[in-house]
Amino acid sequence: MQDYKTQIDAALAHYEKLLKSQLERVERINNAGEAVDCSKLDKIVIGICGGDGIGPVITAASRKVIEYLLADEIKAGKIELRDINGLTIENRVAHNKAIPDDVLEELKSCNVILKGPTTTPRAGDPWPNIESANVAMRRELDLFANVRPVKVPDKGIDWTFFRENTEGSYVVGSCGINVTDDLALDFCVTTTEGTNRIARLAFEYARKNHYDRVSIVTKANIIKTTDGKFLRICEEMAKEYPEINTDEWFIDIMTAKLVDEKRRTDFKVFILPNLYGDIITDEAAEFQGGVGTAGSANIGKKYAMFEAIHGSAPRMVNEGRAKYADPCSMLRATVLMLSHIGKQAEADRLARSLDICMFEEKRLKITGRDTGATCDQFSEYVMEKL
């Protein structure tokens, strides 16, 4: 048998460095202070970050809506819209960083961020293998909760997903080890406080909004250590909310139950580790009309970021179809952002306008091509209904 001592020693050195960085992260999140309440700030700075691909197109539509809905606060200097333009794939590659240092400082100067999709290189792309800007932003700003609502009233669907955002299989997704040409290893991370805070947020949301059921989704029967820890902590948290029915599901059967017409209307609030939450929320968005219709909130104690859940669609750009991109995802994200900063009346107006335009009147249709409306035309339609 071949002697693998050199390869094992190199892998152990890599693993030791990774463990140290994660233990330092645990200390940081354990010592984090209280959450910032944006509604109580004298001034709120909203960063408008277009990203790349179709991002600048759909983000511009949301900016226009925000300027309309918050015109008085903007004029009075209580709200500032600040454009941040450095998250293009070209700029990130030029700096060889998921988020260039100067861009990160700009992001940290804002209270909340409305962000367009960004390109993440994959095998076969012409770009180097830099980390996802989304993953990096969630980590750098400690945006631990990814909140994604899906509502389809005529199907009885009213779901809200609380996806843990800074741990699981993604937190060190670019730090795996090619031990040899034949063996590659990646890592999954679960911490006590990381799970406590996402569980607390989900149960508090359920209590505040009078939802009577929270479902914990893992694969703890197979991934016994990290998923097992996640499940045990969520179950312990559930004891503090006796009025809420709590159940547990494995991710594979949950994906099936969401398409089960007899069972899916029973579900209300979900808590999931990072990877499972990413997958299942895309499935859930299909019931609402696809990922192009869904927005998400990324919540931390100090910062919050709101975004579409789909990618940057470089093919649309390459084919000259960017102007036909669907703005609904960014507009749904804008609803969540408005609610987060304490502008619930404005959030409700925008949500209602979107429901009219997307599901009721449907006077204009977005197809992604010249067979449908442009992004600008549809966003103007939404503004007409505000």
Side-chain angles (χ1 to χ4, degrees):
M1 182 177 178
Q2 184 175 343
D3 182 2
Y4 291 111
K5 185 177 187 312
T6 300
Q7 292 93 332
I8 291 172
D9 286 347
L12 287 174
H14 179 93
Y15 193 38
E16 182 180 18
K17 183 178 179 181
L18 195 60
L19 285 174
K20 182 180 179 182
S21 71
Q22 286 304 301
L23 288 169
E24 290 170 349
R25 186 180 71 86
V26 168
E27 288 188 16
R28 288 196 301 271
I29 66 175
N30 285 348
N31 295 322
E34 295 297 315
V36 173
D37 184 348
C38 284
S39 68
K40 296 180 179 178
L41 297 176
D42 293 331
K43 179 179 179 179
I44 301 171
V45 179
I46 302 173
I48 308 290
C49 186
D52 57 13
I54 62 170
V57 177
I58 60 176
T59 305
S62 281
R63 195 187 203 285
K64 187 162 52 176
V65 169
I66 294 168
E67 288 174 334
Y68 176 78
L69 286 173
L70 303 181
D72 291 342
E73 289 90 341
I74 293 171
K75 184 177 181 180
K78 294 180 178 180
I79 290 178
E80 177 189 344
L81 303 185
R82 187 175 295 175
D83 292 313
I84 301 173
N85 299 311
L87 278 188
T88 62
I89 184 64
E90 292 83 4
N91 190 48
R92 288 155 52 216
V93 166
H95 288 81
N96 196 31
K97 284 194 171 184
I99 305 176
D101 293 342
D102 60 332
V103 179
L104 182 58
E105 288 307 308
E106 287 187 83
L107 294 169
K108 288 182 175 180
S109 71
C110 304
N111 303 112
V112 298
I113 300 151
L114 188 67
K115 177 190 152 298
T118 51
T119 300
T120 301
R122 57 184 178 180
D125 283 351
W127 310 108
N129 187 29
I130 58 173
E131 184 183 30
S132 160
N134 272 11
V135 172
M137 191 180 300
R138 291 164 185 164
R139 181 182 65 246
E140 294 291 341
L141 304 183
D142 199 23
L143 306 176
F144 65 86
N146 184 245
V147 185
R148 297 185 178 183
V150 172
K151 291 186 180 183
V152 189
D154 63 347
K155 296 183 183 295
I157 291 172
D158 184 4
W159 300 329
T160 305
F161 297 86
F162 284 78
R163 165 193 171 192
E164 202 294 315
N165 219 14
T166 59
E167 299 189 351
S169 300
Y170 284 12
V171 62
V172 286
S174 297
C175 300
I177 302 174
N178 287 295
V179 182
T180 70
D181 289 342
D182 296 314
L183 175 63
L185 293 177
D186 273 311
F187 305 100
C188 186
V189 177
T190 298
T191 70
T192 299
E193 178 58 19
T195 307
N196 267 326
R197 60 189 187 177
I198 188 69
R200 175 77 66 192
L201 197 67
F203 278 105
E204 284 294 320
Y205 174 86
R207 174 177 281 176
K208 179 181 177 181
N209 291 279
H210 308 293
Y211 288 116
D212 61 358
R213 183 172 184 178
V214 171
S215 301
I216 309 162
V217 184
T218 67
K219 192 62 177 170
N221 58 330
I222 304 296
I223 314 298
K224 296 181 184 294
T225 302
T226 49
D227 277 25
K229 182 179 181 70
F230 189 95
L231 176 59
R232 287 192 301 274
I233 291 172
C234 290
E235 288 176 329
E236 193 64 26
M237 182 70 68
K239 295 177 183 178
E240 300 182 30
Y241 301 84
E243 77 279 14
I244 297 173
N245 297 313
T246 303
D247 52 17
E248 60 181 79
W249 294 81
F250 297 136
I251 182 61
D252 44 358
I253 192 62
M254 177 55 75
T255 60
K257 290 305 174 187
L258 289 191
V259 299
D260 182 344
E261 294 183 2
K262 295 180 181 178
R263 297 295 301 278
R264 68 188 182 198
T265 56
D266 295 336
F267 298 111
K268 302 300 179 186
V269 177
F270 304 78
I271 313 173
L272 313 91
N274 208 332
L275 174 61
Y276 310 143
D278 191 8
I279 294 168
I280 207 168
T281 51
D282 280 5
E283 179 196 16
E286 284 298 309
F287 293 98
Q288 188 174 265
V291 295
T293 69
S296 69
N298 299 268
I299 307 297
K301 288 190 173 182
K302 184 175 182 181
Y303 302 101
M305 183 265 284
F306 303 84
E307 63 178 343
I309 72 169
H310 57 72
S312 59
R315 182 181 300 174
M316 287 188 71
V317 177
N318 293 338
E319 294 176 358
R321 296 187 287 113
K323 68 179 181 179
Y324 296 104
D326 190 340
C328 292
S329 56
M330 286 303 299
L331 293 172
R332 290 287 182 189
T334 303
V335 171
L336 298 172
M337 186 207 72
L338 290 167
S339 178
H340 180 77
I341 65 174
K343 303 299 179 183
Q344 192 58 51
E346 290 82 356
D348 291 342
R349 285 177 64 191
L350 180 53
R352 179 60 188 142
S353 178
L354 284 164
D355 286 345
I356 293 170
C357 297
M358 293 171 65
F359 305 128
E360 297 175 19
E361 278 190 6
K362 296 187 285 189
R363 193 179 78 218
L364 294 179
K365 184 177 181 182
I366 290 278
T367 65
R369 300 180 180 276
D370 59 8
T371 54
T374 65
C375 176
D376 283 345
Q377 288 170 335
F378 195 88
S379 59
E380 288 291 339
Y381 176 33
V382 170
M383 291 182 68
E384 286 176 21
K385 301 299 176 180
L386 287 173

